[in-house]
Amino acid sequence: MKGLIRKDIYMMKTYFRISWVIVLIFLVVGAVNEKASFYYIYSCMMGGILPISLLSYDEKERWLDYADTLPVSTNTIVRSKYLLGLIFSVAVSVLATISYAIGCKVSRGGDLSGVPGMAATFFCISLLPAILLMPVIFKFGVEKGRILYYILFGMLFFFAALTGFSDQFSAPALSLHPLIAVPVFVALWIGSLLFSQVMYPRRER
Amino acid sequence: MNAFAIRGLTKRYDGFALDSVTLELPEGCILGLIGENGAGKTTTIKTALNIIKKDGGEAEIFGQKVEGDIASLKEDIGIVLGEPGLSGCLTGEEVARIMEGIFARWDNAEFRRLADELDLPLTKKYKELSQGNRMKLGIAVALSHGAKLLILDEPTNGLDPVVRDKVMEILMDFTREENHSVLISSHIVSDLEKVCDYIAFLHNGKLMLCEEKDALMEEYGVLHCKREDFEAIDPAAVVGSSDSIYGVSAVVRRDAVPEGWELSPVSLEDLFVVMVKEA
């Protein structure tokens, strides 16, 4: 698995440096903006979508075919992508939480009581792309997975639009209960991982 | 012991079927799988390695049945199936570091030695490499982790004759070790003629023959004669023939030709072409 992760890190350094810059810019903007939900949701989704983008590159550059010739099992390929996704999710949600906490101090009256709930929200949102998209892409490939990808992003922008128009949907109203939401989303993430492990070997080669 | 064996291997697609192919590669030998484009060489290899699901038959590598996930078995196999699917942003150096984390017995010094021998630049990005250099990179990776069996599908595609010759030399060096074996598929028959101990012909998904190369050369010969002389030959002895203004040129079974007739050696290419035409 070490080799697979190393490959993805090399690819990320080339292809997705700009994505991390955008995430950081959005989080800075979020910290100084009173109605910041959109920036946080977008950043978390962007962090969560990175392993899927890497998987798209793998398919386009025929890495998945090449990996069939290497001593790595299909389960290892699936697990490496999920592990990388989890690392990105943790990273982006930690950054978003720091930004949110700074924002609370600077532009939202200094009340930090909503930070744990928002941290849970950020983490759960960042896990969503992997939970929903990975099994589809591992089974059907990027082309078919793209349809779901557009639906997911459509939902994101619909949600973002709502948060922009109504205080009802802005933070901290988006806040999830950490002790309920995080275990539920982690369980969904594990379920998605196991499902992908079943689906990937059945992919047409 | 056989390094590689397939028995009755079958795979059906719409419009093409790999039809019950049986092959054996003894340890320490090189088996050349010859077939025109679309004959089923890649399908044979991928099905044998369980990369694509078979519809029938079985495959064995080092006496172990190829079933389910064979990741650990692949530690002992160097596989090249055309150009490696590597990311365009990776350099040869980075590929080596990736493979170090994938193969348990990755040998960086050997990889560098091979890159040097094949004149492969390791600092260039994969997208900047020519088709030939990409192929060289795949070959260098396949040979740098202590494999005992090489499975190479069209490994000389895109290589110039000098490099092709170098690759064949490397393969012959590889089989100097007693238990090292190579299965190599190609439609460049002249490459295989130089190095193979065994030859298999595949046409339209069917195995036409699988024999020791030397036995094949002893079994068949080329007869050049006049049309009227040719008609005296037993038709069962003739594999295929062609007419020209100079007479008839025919690939024949040596044992069925009457004594006294002069036969010249047959090349694998001639034999293959004639067999495919007559099939």
Side-chain angles (χ1 to χ4, degrees):
Chain A
M1 188 182 291
K2 206 163 70 180
L4 299 179
I5 299 275
R6 200 174 278 166
K7 175 198 77 75
D8 281 344
I9 288 169
Y10 285 138
M11 284 170 70
M12 209 182 61
K13 278 201 308 203
T14 306
Y15 296 136
F16 301 111
R17 208 178 301 167
I18 194 75
S19 301
W20 285 104
V21 173
I22 292 170
V23 165
L24 288 175
I25 291 170
F26 269 49
L27 292 179
V28 169
V29 173
V32 296
N33 205 316
E34 220 170 306
K35 277 188 175 181
S37 317
F38 168 76
Y39 300 103
Y40 291 128
I41 292 171
Y42 188 84
S43 301
C44 293
M45 284 289 270
M46 206 155 171
I49 215 97
L50 281 180
I52 288 150
S53 305
L54 283 168
L55 197 53
S56 306
Y57 271 98
D58 283 350
E59 191 175 302
K60 189 177 139 216
E61 292 172 328
R62 294 181 43 246
W63 164 261
L64 296 176
D65 296 332
Y66 189 48
D68 281 336
T69 70
L70 304 173
V72 284
S73 67
T74 50
N75 280 354
T76 308
I77 292 170
V78 171
R79 279 185 216 145
S80 77
K81 279 287 182 286
Y82 272 83
L83 177 65
L84 201 72
L86 186 64
I87 293 167
F88 292 162
S89 290
V90 170
V92 78
S93 43
V94 165
L95 290 173
T97 304
I98 292 169
S99 162
Y100 183 75
I102 292 170
C104 286
K105 275 276 181 203
V106 174
S107 50
R108 286 178 217 113
D111 179 16
L112 294 175
S113 61
V115 171
M118 286 310 288
T121 305
F122 298 147
F123 182 61
C124 295
I125 287 174
S126 68
L127 288 182
L128 260 184
I131 291 170
L132 295 174
L133 294 175
M134 286 281 216
V136 180
I137 292 177
F138 270 118
K139 171 69 176 103
F140 298 107
V142 173
E143 278 305 311
K144 286 176 183 159
R146 209 184 296 274
I147 299 164
L148 196 59
Y149 177 92
Y150 289 135
I151 292 171
L152 195 68
F153 260 80
M155 280 165 60
L156 161 73
F157 284 107
F158 177 70
F159 197 60
L162 281 180
T163 60
F165 299 136
S166 166
D167 284 346
Q168 194 188 343
F169 294 101
S170 6
L174 288 173
S175 171
L176 295 172
H177 195 298
L179 294 179
I180 297 169
V182 172
V184 167
F185 272 76
V186 168
L188 287 172
W189 181 85
I190 292 169
S192 170
L193 163 66
L194 297 174
F195 192 44
S196 290
Q197 286 188 173
V198 174
M199 299 306 268
Y200 184 46
R202 296 179 186 182
R203 180 193 181 110
E204 192 62 45
R205 286 172 162 83
Chain B
M1 186 169 96
N2 287 324
F4 175 90
I6 51 177
R7 289 177 204 98
L9 201 67
T10 302
K11 176 73 191 171
R12 290 181 204 92
Y13 292 107
D14 282 342
F16 175 78
L18 189 69
D19 189 7
S20 194
V21 173
T22 297
L23 282 177
E24 283 186 354
L25 167 61
E27 260 189 352
C29 296
I30 303 181
L31 166 65
L33 184 59
I34 297 170
E36 75 276 26
N37 291 330
K41 302 184 294 293
T42 305
T43 307
T44 302
I45 290 172
K46 284 189 171 177
T47 313
L49 290 171
N50 214 19
I51 292 173
I52 49 179
K53 210 174 156 209
K54 60 180 181 279
D55 292 321
E58 57 177 30
E60 273 180 22
I61 292 176
F62 306 122
Q64 191 182 323
K65 268 200 179 158
V66 179
E67 277 172 345
D69 212 324
I70 57 158
S72 57
L73 198 56
K74 285 179 192 160
E75 287 283 358
D76 291 326
I77 317 171
I79 305 169
V80 178
L81 302 180
E83 270 181 39
L86 288 163
S87 175
C89 69
L90 298 173
T91 64
E93 304 269 8
E94 287 170 339
V95 170
R97 265 174 250 136
I98 290 164
M99 295 305 161
E100 205 170 11
I102 286 178
F103 288 102
R105 298 193 304 270
W106 178 256
D107 185 344
N108 226 8
E110 178 64 3
F111 177 73
R112 282 172 187 286
R113 189 192 69 74
L114 283 164
D116 202 38
E117 198 174 336
L118 291 167
D119 205 15
L120 170 68
L122 292 180
T123 49
K124 266 193 174 180
K125 289 190 171 172
Y126 188 69
K127 66 180 172 195
E128 293 162 359
L129 296 178
S130 64
Q131 190 196 354
N133 277 338
R134 288 177 181 192
M135 201 58 105
K136 287 184 207 170
L137 181 58
I139 292 168
V141 169
L143 282 159
S144 301
H145 58 89
K148 289 186 277 181
L149 169 65
L150 289 182
I151 296 180
L152 312 170
D153 186 22
E154 306 277 5
T156 51
N157 258 6
L159 301 181
D160 62 61
V162 178
V163 180
R164 266 173 32 210
D165 199 59
K166 175 59 80 183
V167 170
M168 291 301 142
E169 222 173 82
I170 289 171
L171 293 186
M172 281 166 75
D173 276 349
F174 175 80
T175 47
R176 287 218 176 106
E177 291 269 344
E178 207 180 318
N179 62 346
H180 281 188
S181 322
V182 181
L183 168 65
I184 176 170
S185 89
S186 182
H187 60 265
I188 307 172
V189 184
S190 57
D191 285 345
L192 302 188
E193 194 154 14
K194 288 179 208 162
V195 298
C196 291
D197 305 296
Y198 289 82
I199 292 291
F201 286 170
L202 197 62
H203 173 59
N204 278 345
K206 289 188 176 69
L207 191 73
M208 297 167 77
L209 66 82
C210 180
E211 281 189 52
E212 249 185 280
K213 185 182 75 184
D214 292 344
L216 211 55
M217 297 304 185
E218 278 170 27
E219 195 178 341
Y220 298 97
V222 180
L223 174 69
H224 302 281
C225 62
K226 289 182 190 156
R227 162 63 47 195
E228 47 273 29
D229 293 336
F230 178 68
E231 276 159 11
I233 302 276
D234 176 6
V238 179
V239 182
S241 64
S242 60
D243 277 295
S244 73
I245 51 165
Y246 304 108
V248 176
S249 205
V251 174
V252 293
R253 281 189 185 82
R254 285 176 185 272
D255 59 358
V257 174
E259 270 185 45
W261 290 69
E262 202 168 308
L263 299 176
S264 49
V266 68
S267 69
L268 280 179
E269 186 148 350
D270 287 341
L271 186 59
F272 176 65
V273 170
V274 162
M275 281 189 156
V276 167
K277 275 186 184 166
E278 297 299 316

